[in-house]
Amino acid sequence: MNTDLEPPRVPPLTAAEHARLRNRVLDKARPAAHRPARRWVAPAVGVGAVAAVVAGTLAVANNSSDDASVAGTTLQASPEAKVGVDLGAVQQRDLAKIVTECQFPGEGGPAQIIWSRHVRGITKDSTALVAVALNTKKAPAPKTTVTRGGRKPGTGGAPSDAKLGYRYCLTRTPASAKLGSVGSVGRVPDKNWQTQPTDRRALVTLGSENANLTYARTTLQAWAVYRALPTVATVEARYVLDGQPGPWTKGVVEDGFAYTEVQARGKFAVGEKLTTEVRAFDARGKQIPVG
């Protein structure tokens, strides 16, 4: 007997038969808990979504924290404000309005405008001009109290902590009784003006108001002017009223200064105030501590 016979030839498998055979072998070898592989897709997506929500929550909660990272990961946040206040540069024809507003009665003038911006108003059919200015011409203090636009600057001249002559001011246009307080001016304390922003305190407040009301008392407004760190590209603010936060509102950052403004709607009493939360971001969307 010839035992040295060649085995019969087996025709080659087609691509489909090869794939089917391979899948059958792998399916028998794979533990039951791991079949089929497609089941792993949904849990992976779910984990990613949860991580994104957590990261977003941390970024929002870190409004004024000095911590730049959590668990070794740098916080990145995209500004989420849907409403902005910036209306551009102040037109030449409007400069006279704000120069007048930036002077106290009895001062020599005109005031020197250092920074200005055209911003939204306290009503839908109004706007405002905000500025930082310097009184370069001193004059004797007025002998009597003068009131303009609801302001009472007093008779004693500049206080001892504001001798440098810097001030912040805001005028509303068009002038209308329903706007409530039409104009506002306040002195910048010398200490505030001389304080420079830092990496741990990107915004230095020069002046603010948190109790502006429309005449009908249906809109309560808060606004503030800051000196800003050069790396600040975006500022946002929101009010907190009765423990409930309002929406984030995008402010203005320009030439080393910044302005934020928020508005709440309702029925308010004279003297009621808005608490404001502020946050800042650099050009890459990284949140910067504001102090």
PDB file of all heavy atoms in Angstrom, residues 39-61:
ATOM      1  N   ARG A  39     -21.492  47.264  20.966  1.00  0.00           N
ATOM      2  CA  ARG A  39     -22.057  47.712  22.243  1.00  0.00           C
ATOM      3  C   ARG A  39     -21.138  48.654  22.995  1.00  0.00           C
ATOM      4  O   ARG A  39     -21.570  49.351  23.884  1.00  0.00           O
ATOM      5  CB  ARG A  39     -22.376  46.490  23.119  1.00  0.00           C
ATOM      6  CG  ARG A  39     -23.510  45.618  22.572  1.00  0.00           C
ATOM      7  CD  ARG A  39     -23.780  44.449  23.472  1.00  0.00           C
ATOM      8  NE  ARG A  39     -24.810  43.572  22.924  1.00  0.00           N
ATOM      9  CZ  ARG A  39     -25.119  42.411  23.448  1.00  0.00           C
ATOM     10  NH1 ARG A  39     -24.479  41.978  24.525  1.00  0.00           N
ATOM     11  NH2 ARG A  39     -26.065  41.660  22.915  1.00  0.00           N
ATOM     12  N   TRP A  40     -19.865  48.643  22.679  1.00  0.00           N
ATOM     13  CA  TRP A  40     -18.923  49.510  23.386  1.00  0.00           C
ATOM     14  C   TRP A  40     -19.011  50.957  22.915  1.00  0.00           C
ATOM     15  O   TRP A  40     -18.545  51.854  23.565  1.00  0.00           O
ATOM     16  CB  TRP A  40     -17.482  49.014  23.192  1.00  0.00           C
ATOM     17  CG  TRP A  40     -17.203  47.790  23.989  1.00  0.00           C
ATOM     18  CD1 TRP A  40     -17.266  46.505  23.567  1.00  0.00           C
ATOM     19  CD2 TRP A  40     -16.848  47.739  25.364  1.00  0.00           C
ATOM     20  NE1 TRP A  40     -16.972  45.645  24.590  1.00  0.00           N
ATOM     21  CE2 TRP A  40     -16.696  46.380  25.709  1.00  0.00           C
ATOM     22  CE3 TRP A  40     -16.632  48.703  26.350  1.00  0.00           C
ATOM     23  CZ2 TRP A  40     -16.352  45.977  26.998  1.00  0.00           C
ATOM     24  CZ3 TRP A  40     -16.274  48.292  27.624  1.00  0.00           C
ATOM     25  CH2 TRP A  40     -16.143  46.938  27.931  1.00  0.00           C
ATOM     26  N   VAL A  41     -19.618  51.210  21.777  1.00  0.00           N
ATOM     27  CA  VAL A  41     -19.645  52.559  21.228  1.00  0.00           C
ATOM     28  C   VAL A  41     -20.482  53.495  22.090  1.00  0.00           C
ATOM     29  O   VAL A  41     -20.052  54.574  22.453  1.00  0.00           O
ATOM     30  CB  VAL A  41     -20.198  52.523  19.783  1.00  0.00           C
ATOM     31  CG1 VAL A  41     -20.328  53.943  19.246  1.00  0.00           C
ATOM     32  CG2 VAL A  41     -19.274  51.692  18.904  1.00  0.00           C
ATOM     33  N   ALA A  42     -21.693  53.062  22.442  1.00  0.00           N
ATOM     34  CA  ALA A  42     -22.582  53.935  23.206  1.00  0.00           C
ATOM     35  C   ALA A  42     -22.019  54.326  24.569  1.00  0.00           C
ATOM     36  O   ALA A  42     -22.021  55.497  24.917  1.00  0.00           O
ATOM     37  CB  ALA A  42     -23.955  53.275  23.359  1.00  0.00           C
ATOM     38  N   PRO A  43     -21.485  53.374  25.393  1.00  0.00           N
ATOM     39  CA  PRO A  43     -20.901  53.786  26.677  1.00  0.00           C
ATOM     40  C   PRO A  43     -19.753  54.766  26.505  1.00  0.00           C
ATOM     41  O   PRO A  43     -19.597  55.688  27.282  1.00  0.00           O
ATOM     42  CB  PRO A  43     -20.426  52.463  27.287  1.00  0.00           C
ATOM     43  CG  PRO A  43     -21.312  51.437  26.663  1.00  0.00           C
ATOM     44  CD  PRO A  43     -21.559  51.918  25.263  1.00  0.00           C
ATOM     45  N   ALA A  44     -18.935  54.600  25.460  1.00  0.00           N
ATOM     46  CA  ALA A  44     -17.806  55.512  25.266  1.00  0.00           C
ATOM     47  C   ALA A  44     -18.287  56.921  24.996  1.00  0.00           C
ATOM     48  O   ALA A  44     -17.767  57.902  25.521  1.00  0.00           O
ATOM     49  CB  ALA A  44     -16.941  55.010  24.102  1.00  0.00           C
ATOM     50  N   VAL A  45     -19.315  57.051  24.156  1.00  0.00           N
ATOM     51  CA  VAL A  45     -19.871  58.366  23.872  1.00  0.00           C
ATOM     52  C   VAL A  45     -20.464  58.968  25.132  1.00  0.00           C
ATOM     53  O   VAL A  45     -20.315  60.145  25.424  1.00  0.00           O
ATOM     54  CB  VAL A  45     -20.935  58.268  22.766  1.00  0.00           C
ATOM     55  CG1 VAL A  45     -21.648  59.601  22.588  1.00  0.00           C
ATOM     56  CG2 VAL A  45     -20.283  57.829  21.459  1.00  0.00           C
ATOM     57  N   GLY A  46     -21.157  58.162  25.935  1.00  0.00           N
ATOM     58  CA  GLY A  46     -21.762  58.651  27.167  1.00  0.00           C
ATOM     59  C   GLY A  46     -20.726  59.206  28.127  1.00  0.00           C
ATOM     60  O   GLY A  46     -20.908  60.252  28.713  1.00  0.00           O
ATOM     61  N   VAL A  47     -19.614  58.514  28.286  1.00  0.00           N
ATOM     62  CA  VAL A  47     -18.555  58.976  29.187  1.00  0.00           C
ATOM     63  C   VAL A  47     -18.002  60.288  28.702  1.00  0.00           C
ATOM     64  O   VAL A  47     -17.751  61.220  29.468  1.00  0.00           O
ATOM     65  CB  VAL A  47     -17.437  57.907  29.278  1.00  0.00           C
ATOM     66  CG1 VAL A  47     -16.231  58.474  30.006  1.00  0.00           C
ATOM     67  CG2 VAL A  47     -17.957  56.678  30.000  1.00  0.00           C
ATOM     68  N   GLY A  48     -17.798  60.418  27.378  1.00  0.00           N
ATOM     69  CA  GLY A  48     -17.282  61.662  26.836  1.00  0.00           C
ATOM     70  C   GLY A  48     -18.228  62.821  27.085  1.00  0.00           C
ATOM     71  O   GLY A  48     -17.810  63.929  27.407  1.00  0.00           O
ATOM     72  N   ALA A  49     -19.532  62.569  26.937  1.00  0.00           N
ATOM     73  CA  ALA A  49     -20.509  63.621  27.159  1.00  0.00           C
ATOM     74  C   ALA A  49     -20.513  64.079  28.610  1.00  0.00           C
ATOM     75  O   ALA A  49     -20.582  65.264  28.896  1.00  0.00           O
ATOM     76  CB  ALA A  49     -21.899  63.128  26.756  1.00  0.00           C
ATOM     77  N   VAL A  50     -20.436  63.112  29.533  1.00  0.00           N
ATOM     78  CA  VAL A  50     -20.390  63.460  30.958  1.00  0.00           C
ATOM     79  C   VAL A  50     -19.148  64.273  31.265  1.00  0.00           C
ATOM     80  O   VAL A  50     -19.190  65.263  31.991  1.00  0.00           O
ATOM     81  CB  VAL A  50     -20.431  62.173  31.826  1.00  0.00           C
ATOM     82  CG1 VAL A  50     -20.164  62.517  33.281  1.00  0.00           C
ATOM     83  CG2 VAL A  50     -21.782  61.487  31.678  1.00  0.00           C
ATOM     84  N   ALA A  51     -18.007  63.892  30.689  1.00  0.00           N
ATOM     85  CA  ALA A  51     -16.765  64.629  30.925  1.00  0.00           C
ATOM     86  C   ALA A  51     -16.886  66.053  30.426  1.00  0.00           C
ATOM     87  O   ALA A  51     -16.414  66.991  31.059  1.00  0.00           O
ATOM     88  CB  ALA A  51     -15.600  63.915  30.225  1.00  0.00           C
ATOM     89  N   ALA A  52     -17.538  66.233  29.270  1.00  0.00           N
ATOM     90  CA  ALA A  52     -17.702  67.579  28.728  1.00  0.00           C
ATOM     91  C   ALA A  52     -18.567  68.436  29.632  1.00  0.00           C
ATOM     92  O   ALA A  52     -18.285  69.605  29.868  1.00  0.00           O
ATOM     93  CB  ALA A  52     -18.322  67.498  27.333  1.00  0.00           C
ATOM     94  N   VAL A  53     -19.639  67.849  30.173  1.00  0.00           N
ATOM     95  CA  VAL A  53     -20.512  68.589  31.079  1.00  0.00           C
ATOM     96  C   VAL A  53     -19.771  68.981  32.337  1.00  0.00           C
ATOM     97  O   VAL A  53     -19.857  70.100  32.817  1.00  0.00           O
ATOM     98  CB  VAL A  53     -21.764  67.749  31.422  1.00  0.00           C
ATOM     99  CG1 VAL A  53     -22.567  68.421  32.524  1.00  0.00           C
ATOM    100  CG2 VAL A  53     -22.623  67.560  30.182  1.00  0.00           C
ATOM    101  N   VAL A  54     -19.005  68.058  32.899  1.00  0.00           N
ATOM    102  CA  VAL A  54     -18.238  68.347  34.117  1.00  0.00           C
ATOM    103  C   VAL A  54     -17.241  69.459  33.858  1.00  0.00           C
ATOM    104  O   VAL A  54     -17.091  70.391  34.638  1.00  0.00           O
ATOM    105  CB  VAL A  54     -17.524  67.075  34.612  1.00  0.00           C
ATOM    106  CG1 VAL A  54     -16.573  67.425  35.750  1.00  0.00           C
ATOM    107  CG2 VAL A  54     -18.552  66.054  35.082  1.00  0.00           C
ATOM    108  N   ALA A  55     -16.525  69.385  32.722  1.00  0.00           N
ATOM    109  CA  ALA A  55     -15.537  70.414  32.408  1.00  0.00           C
ATOM    110  C   ALA A  55     -16.202  71.767  32.268  1.00  0.00           C
ATOM    111  O   ALA A  55     -15.702  72.779  32.752  1.00  0.00           O
ATOM    112  CB  ALA A  55     -14.802  70.053  31.112  1.00  0.00           C
ATOM    113  N   GLY A  56     -17.368  71.814  31.599  1.00  0.00           N
ATOM    114  CA  GLY A  56     -18.086  73.067  31.459  1.00  0.00           C
ATOM    115  C   GLY A  56     -18.540  73.626  32.792  1.00  0.00           C
ATOM    116  O   GLY A  56     -18.458  74.819  33.037  1.00  0.00           O
ATOM    117  N   THR A  57     -18.988  72.751  33.684  1.00  0.00           N
ATOM    118  CA  THR A  57     -19.428  73.186  35.007  1.00  0.00           C
ATOM    119  C   THR A  57     -18.281  73.784  35.794  1.00  0.00           C
ATOM    120  O   THR A  57     -18.404  74.817  36.442  1.00  0.00           O
ATOM    121  CB  THR A  57     -20.027  71.993  35.785  1.00  0.00           C
ATOM    122  OG1 THR A  57     -21.104  71.452  35.024  1.00  0.00           O
ATOM    123  CG2 THR A  57     -20.531  72.440  37.143  1.00  0.00           C
ATOM    124  N   LEU A  58     -17.112  73.157  35.721  1.00  0.00           N
ATOM    125  CA  LEU A  58     -15.950  73.669  36.432  1.00  0.00           C
ATOM    126  C   LEU A  58     -15.550  75.025  35.905  1.00  0.00           C
ATOM    127  O   LEU A  58     -15.196  75.925  36.651  1.00  0.00           O
ATOM    128  CB  LEU A  58     -14.776  72.684  36.298  1.00  0.00           C
ATOM    129  CG  LEU A  58     -14.913  71.367  37.067  1.00  0.00           C
ATOM    130  CD1 LEU A  58     -13.758  70.447  36.717  1.00  0.00           C
ATOM    131  CD2 LEU A  58     -14.961  71.615  38.564  1.00  0.00           C
ATOM    132  N   ALA A  59     -15.610  75.194  34.585  1.00  0.00           N
ATOM    133  CA  ALA A  59     -15.208  76.463  33.988  1.00  0.00           C
ATOM    134  C   ALA A  59     -16.118  77.597  34.427  1.00  0.00           C
ATOM    135  O   ALA A  59     -15.663  78.684  34.744  1.00  0.00           O
ATOM    136  CB  ALA A  59     -15.203  76.351  32.459  1.00  0.00           C
ATOM    137  N   VAL A  60     -17.419  77.347  34.466  1.00  0.00           N
ATOM    138  CA  VAL A  60     -18.359  78.380  34.874  1.00  0.00           C
ATOM    139  C   VAL A  60     -18.229  78.676  36.362  1.00  0.00           C
ATOM    140  O   VAL A  60     -18.291  79.813  36.793  1.00  0.00           O
ATOM    141  CB  VAL A  60     -19.807  77.948  34.540  1.00  0.00           C
ATOM    142  CG1 VAL A  60     -20.805  78.915  35.139  1.00  0.00           C
ATOM    143  CG2 VAL A  60     -19.990  77.871  33.033  1.00  0.00           C
ATOM    144  N   ALA A  61     -18.023  77.655  37.163  1.00  0.00           N
ATOM    145  CA  ALA A  61     -17.942  77.837  38.610  1.00  0.00           C
ATOM    146  C   ALA A  61     -16.678  78.576  39.015  1.00  0.00           C
ATOM    147  O   ALA A  61     -16.598  79.130  40.092  1.00  0.00           O
ATOM    148  CB  ALA A  61     -17.979  76.482  39.317  1.00  0.00           C
TER     149      ALA A  61
END
